[in-house]
Amino acid sequence: MKNLTPLFYLTWLLFVSGSLMAEQTQFSKFGYPENSILYGPKAGNTFFFKQVEGQDFQDGKIHLEIIASQVINKEISTITFLIGDHPIYSSFLKDLGDTIKIDLPVIQEQLQSGFIKLEIRSNLFLNHEVCRNIDEPALWLKVTERSFFEESIA
């Protein structure tokens, strides 16, 4: 009987670790380009991730890797992430490094009509100018192909 206890724990551990696995889906699998480039001083984009039957967005996350133009003044430029129209995270670019890497948690309440809505908003500056050119091609953010949606697999 004593030999069954380690076998039981080993089986339980394998079952639990298998239930904690996650599946990563690149943005391109949702129909978006591998690299999404956002232009201008108010660069932004909205992404929708459709929940298909059998997917569980509960306890999921959105992993973003974003590269910013090298000429952006990161001291005063900001970026904000919203999920389901609710702000999740805002920061100055200077606090996020050269490649912005961020994981945004997804909760069931953010699911709208079978979709998760992710919005990226920014306020980008070249310098401390008062009057900005709205058609400035040097102001851009690139959401890279290393960005993905991750769902827990039960």
Side-chain angles (χ1 to χ4, degrees), residues 11-66:
T11 304
W12 180 80
L13 181 63
L14 288 172
F15 174 77
V16 169
S17 66
S19 67
L20 297 177
M21 294 176 51
E23 182 176 322
Q24 297 176 352
T25 306
Q26 305 304 116
F27 282 22
S28 60
K29 299 288 184 193
F30 290 99
Y32 296 103
E34 285 191 9
N35 293 296
S36 295
I37 302 178
L38 321 175
Y39 290 101
K42 297 284 190 178
N45 201 0
T46 302
F47 299 91
F48 290 92
F49 304 101
K50 183 172 179 25
Q51 183 177 21
V52 296
E53 192 173 326
Q55 281 184 317
D56 182 16
F57 283 0
Q58 182 68 32
D59 299 324
K61 73 176 179 181
I62 297 171
H63 173 79
L64 292 167
E65 291 195 25
I66 300 171

Side-chain angles (χ1 to χ4, degrees), residues 58-99:
Q58 182 68 32
D59 299 324
K61 73 176 179 181
I62 297 171
H63 173 79
L64 292 167
E65 291 195 25
I66 300 171
I67 298 172
S69 167
Q70 295 78 6
V71 299
I72 291 174
N73 182 340
K74 294 179 181 177
E75 292 293 317
I76 57 175
S77 296
T78 62
I79 190 165
T80 297
F81 302 97
L82 299 94
I83 296 182
D85 297 324
H86 300 285
I88 301 297
Y89 184 82
S90 294
S91 180
F92 286 98
L93 293 184
K94 68 177 178 160
D95 298 330
L96 298 173
D98 290 333
T99 299

